[in-house]
Amino acid sequence: MVTVRKRTLKVLTLLVLFIFLTSFFLNYSHTTVATTWFPKQMVVELSENFKKFMKYAHRPCTCARCVGQQRVSSWFDERFNRSMQPLLTAQNALLEEDTYSWWLRLQREKQPNNLNDTIKELFQVVPGNVDPLLEKKSGGCRRCAVVGNSGNLRESWYGPQIDGHDFVLRMNKAPTAGFEADVGSKTTHHLVYPESFRELGENVSMVLVPFKTTDLEWVVSATTTGTISHTYVPVPAKIKVKKNKILIYHPAFIKYVFDNWLQGHGRYPSTGILSVIFSLHICDEVNLYGFGADSKGNWHHYWENNPSAGAFRKTGVHDGDFESNVTATLASINKIRIFKGR
Ligand SMILES: *[C@@H]1O[C@H](CO)[C@@H](O)[C@H](O)[C@H]1NC(C)=O
Ligand SMILES: *[C@@H]1O[C@H](CO)[C@@H](O)[C@H](O)[C@H]1NC(C)=O
Ligand SMILES: *[C@@H]1O[C@H](CO)[C@@H](O)[C@H](O)[C@H]1NC(C)=O
Ligand SMILES: *[C@@H]1O[C@H](CO)[C@@H](O)[C@H](O)[C@H]1NC(C)=O
């Protein structure tokens, strides 16, 4: 009996190994089948395939649930594109023609300067390679808090919970000083555009979201000569943020959020939804704070005392309802968690 079992086990093991190897070759090789099985060549091809395999294999993530995991929800898989790069670098800066013309229309900029020249200038000032912090470490579980600016954070006492995350992303004018108990004090990344800029803490990475060519020129200007002080409103001529702490949100990623996630709703995505989708790509676990209205239905910022200050929601530029539906759906399939505050 024992030997029979042992033999069955052996056969099974071999079978599993065979299936694994076959599927490995079928998935990761388009050439092996046709070529001769010459040992030396096989070794070379095996190592090539192994390299390919490592490149495409899912980055290991040790969270109980990993946000980028596919085949959990077809709704998610239809929208999420792992290959999209969230940040602009010197290597991926060339925009496709339709992306560029879409992006140019966002702010109806008159006579923009040449984008190639602007980007070249930009990367002479800010680093052209990706923030090492953003490259996922192999293994581990990167937990991110995306903190919106809703009044529902008031008296939420979320501060310590928010600060407990590896990354804390904030956006636009959001202050922390004076609101630490509710919103926390830690920030690793702050998403802004020139008109929404606020001075940031020493070690905070500024993620500039460019909606027009001038925004990229402003980064250069604001960290050097200070010549740009006005876009469609006054903007800070000089900023204290260190050049090596500046990252640029990729214009093609803005279009990806608009096309894949918002399915063309609104004129273009808000900083809020841009932060959420950004985090899906750089984090393993995503928790949202300060999104949506407060319990009384008011849409104001947590640092404002005017509960009716929700006019920004009705500007027609962003489709707030559709964006909320996207985050609510992400939560309903357990990709993210939304902490609703008060
Ligand atoms: C995903 O993004 C890559 C890189 O931009 C693109 O080449 C590819 O076509 C996209 N895939 C889908 C299914 O849209
Ligand atoms: C930028 O350069 C690329 C390739 O050199 C070119 O195809 C494209 O038209 C240029 N874009 C602009 C806005 O000048
Ligand atoms: C910024 O980072 C440096 C080096 O890690 C550290 O010594 C310093 O305390 C940090 N400053 C703040 C304000 O967190
Ligand atoms: C999102 O909108 C769709 C279509 O209107 C609706 O069926 C769905 O219930 C909404 N999802 C959530 C989570 O609100």
Side-chain angles (χ1 to χ4, degrees):
M1 270 310 270
V2 173
T3 48
V4 170
R5 249 193 225 156
K6 259 191 187 161
R7 194 179 287 164
T8 317
L9 202 69
K10 243 185 208 169
V11 169
L12 269 177
T13 312
L14 276 175
L15 199 69
V16 166
L17 201 68
F18 176 77
I19 291 171
F20 174 78
L21 280 176
T22 313
S23 66
F24 177 86
F25 275 108
L26 286 181
N27 278 331
Y28 296 101
S29 147
H30 302 290
T31 51
T32 340
V33 179
T35 49
T36 43
W37 290 74
F38 189 64
K40 195 173 159 197
Q41 191 174 348
M42 252 187 79
V43 171
V44 171
E45 291 201 347
L46 254 177
S47 70
E48 284 301 309
N49 281 314
F50 185 69
K51 267 190 225 152
K52 264 194 221 164
F53 176 76
M54 290 311 286
K55 198 170 154 204
Y56 293 113
H58 292 187
R59 276 166 297 208
C61 154
T62 55
C63 306
R65 255 196 293 267
C66 303
V67 78
Q69 197 183 334
Q70 301 195 280
R71 295 192 200 93
V72 173
S73 147
S74 56
W75 180 90
F76 182 82
D77 292 351
E78 280 160 23
R79 288 159 180 79
F80 185 76
N81 183 345
R82 188 185 295 281
S83 315
M84 289 304 303
Q85 296 179 23
L87 293 174
L88 191 74
T89 67
Q91 288 79 42
N92 70 13
L94 214 54
L95 299 189
E96 282 178 23
E97 197 56 48
D98 65 328
T99 304
Y100 179 59
S101 58
W102 176 83
W103 182 74
L104 267 190
R105 287 197 303 271
L106 296 187
Q107 301 269 328
R108 307 190 172 110
E109 204 173 11
K110 292 187 196 82
Q111 298 183 317
N113 287 331
N114 180 291
L115 183 64
N116 288 339
D117 296 345
T118 305
I119 288 177
K120 210 169 173 190
E121 238 179 278
L122 174 71
F123 286 131
Q124 278 162 9
V125 174
V126 309
N129 41 13
V130 178
D131 173 17
L133 258 183
L134 282 180
E135 281 167 11
K136 277 199 195 169
K137 283 187 251 80
S138 51
C141 170
R142 179 183 286 164
R143 300 178 62 246
C144 299
V146 181
V147 187
N149 295 335
S150 166
N152 71 23
L153 284 169
R154 285 271 189 98
E155 293 172 42
S156 66
W157 303 100
Y158 282 148
Q161 196 180 328
I162 289 173
D163 285 348
H165 290 76
D166 300 307
F167 279 3
V168 179
L169 287 77
R170 300 183 196 270
M171 60 208 73
N172 298 334
K173 300 268 185 205
T176 52
F179 302 93
E180 291 90 344
D182 292 331
V183 310
S185 56
K186 175 175 176 174
T187 309
T188 57
H189 298 82
H190 200 113
L191 282 81
V192 288
Y193 45 94
E195 296 81 8
S196 77
F197 179 80
R198 55 160 293 116
E199 208 48 79
L200 306 177
E202 189 180 358
N203 295 332
V204 180
S205 289
M206 165 174 136
V207 183
L208 178 93
V209 185
F211 291 112
K212 52 189 177 320
T213 314
T214 313
D215 297 350
L216 300 170
E217 293 167 330
W218 172 78
V219 172
V220 176
S221 162
T223 52
T224 58
T225 56
T227 46
I228 300 177
S229 60
H230 198 277
T231 58
Y232 53 84
V233 291
V235 293
K238 286 275 207 174
I239 62 177
K240 291 200 195 89
V241 181
K242 290 195 193 80
K243 292 170 189 164
N244 65 4
K245 282 302 202 180
I246 298 179
L247 303 166
I248 313 291
Y249 200 101
H250 204 305
F253 201 86
I254 303 178
K255 187 165 189 291
Y256 154 70
V257 174
F258 184 70
D259 290 344
N260 285 30
W261 293 94
L262 300 185
Q263 317 221 301
H265 286 80
R267 243 180 26 82
Y268 55 91
S270 71
T271 320
I273 193 77
L274 288 172
S275 307
V276 174
I277 308 301
F278 182 80
S279 70
L280 297 183
H281 282 253
I282 64 163
C283 308
D284 297 318
E285 180 186 315
V286 175
N287 295 315
L288 259 54
Y289 299 86
F291 276 70
D294 69 12
S295 56
K296 297 192 193 82
N298 295 318
W299 288 81
H300 58 105
H301 295 132
Y302 62 79
W303 62 89
E304 289 166 343
N305 274 321
N306 176 10
S308 61
F312 61 90
R313 194 161 169 262
K314 301 239 167 8
T315 52
V317 176
H318 311 304
D319 189 333
D321 294 330
F322 198 86
E323 292 187 359
S324 311
N325 184 285
V326 171
T327 50
T329 307
L330 282 168
S332 74
I333 56 174
N334 296 315
K335 287 294 183 183
I336 64 174
R337 282 184 74 187
I338 301 178
F339 292 84
K340 291 191 169 25
R342 303 203 345 142

